[in-house]
Amino acid sequence: MKFLLVSIAVFAALTKTLEGQQPVVEELTDDTFESYLTVSQLAIVDFYATWCPYCKTFAPIYLKAATKALESKLNIFFAKVNCAGSGKNICKKLNVKFLPTVRVFRDGKPLGDYEGKRTSDAVLAFAQKASSAPNDLKMTMSDDISDPHKIPSNVTPWHADDTEHH
């Protein structure tokens, strides 16, 4: 039954794409995450929480980059996952430690995290590079950041089991 529901959701999203009504950034949940990423060759996913101030600042930047990518006809799937809501389990499974985290996936497998400037042009340039030469991307996975003094200033440290809002 769950497979059927996920299949219907994926079909509906593909139908919207064919009709030109695809959302620029698709909201994924614990139930839909893997289905969408396995049918997308290249995906860039923003892991966020609604209470996170840095996430709120980054959301329109990410949307603008995704819109520009769509207009440029880049073959990249842009998505977002609410780590404090319907995507909490997938965030925990993927060991998301900071919010927002922007992670690149190829054929459903994580390649790394975007750690560049938080501007739409920088995110778009990164997406273009990811699309044209994914093996040349220099990315660091978030679990390599073990020194708390190396935490970037534009993210919020977070763990899926946190109950407090920062």
Side-chain angles (χ1 to χ4, degrees), residues 109-126:
K109 294 178 177 63
L111 293 180
D113 293 351
Y114 171 72
E115 295 182 349
K117 292 182 180 178
R118 301 289 171 133
T119 66
S120 61
D121 288 337
V123 174
L124 179 62
F126 175 79

Side-chain angles (χ1 to χ4, degrees), residues 48-149:
Y48 75 98
T50 55
W51 50 261
C52 169
Y54 297 112
C55 300
K56 290 177 184 179
T57 301
F58 184 65
I61 294 167
Y62 185 71
L63 178 61
K64 186 174 182 182
T67 302
K68 288 180 177 181
L70 184 65
E71 291 168 355
S72 301
K73 300 195 186 314
L74 284 180
N75 189 22
I76 299 175
F77 177 66
F78 280 82
K80 61 184 179 178
V81 175
N82 184 351
C83 292
S86 61
K88 186 174 182 178
N89 292 327
I90 197 68
C91 293
K92 187 173 184 177
K93 178 182 175 184
L94 293 173
N95 200 25
V96 174
K97 291 185 178 180
F98 303 105
L99 298 175
T101 289
V102 178
R103 190 163 291 171
V104 179
F105 295 82
R106 179 168 290 285
D107 298 321
K109 294 178 177 63
L111 293 180
D113 293 351
Y114 171 72
E115 295 182 349
K117 292 182 180 178
R118 301 289 171 133
T119 66
S120 61
D121 288 337
V123 174
L124 179 62
F126 175 79
Q128 290 167 330
K129 185 174 183 180
S131 177
S132 63
N135 295 330
D136 293 338
L137 291 176
K138 183 180 181 212
M139 294 181 278
T140 305
M141 294 301 289
S142 61
D143 57 354
D144 289 340
I145 301 173
S146 56
D147 182 354
H149 301 290

Side-chain angles (χ1 to χ4, degrees), residues 7 9 12 18 23 25 28 41 49 62 82 108 116 154 165:
S7 297
L18 295 175
V25 177
L28 302 181
Q41 184 179 7
Y62 185 71
N82 184 351
N154 57 353
H165 298 252

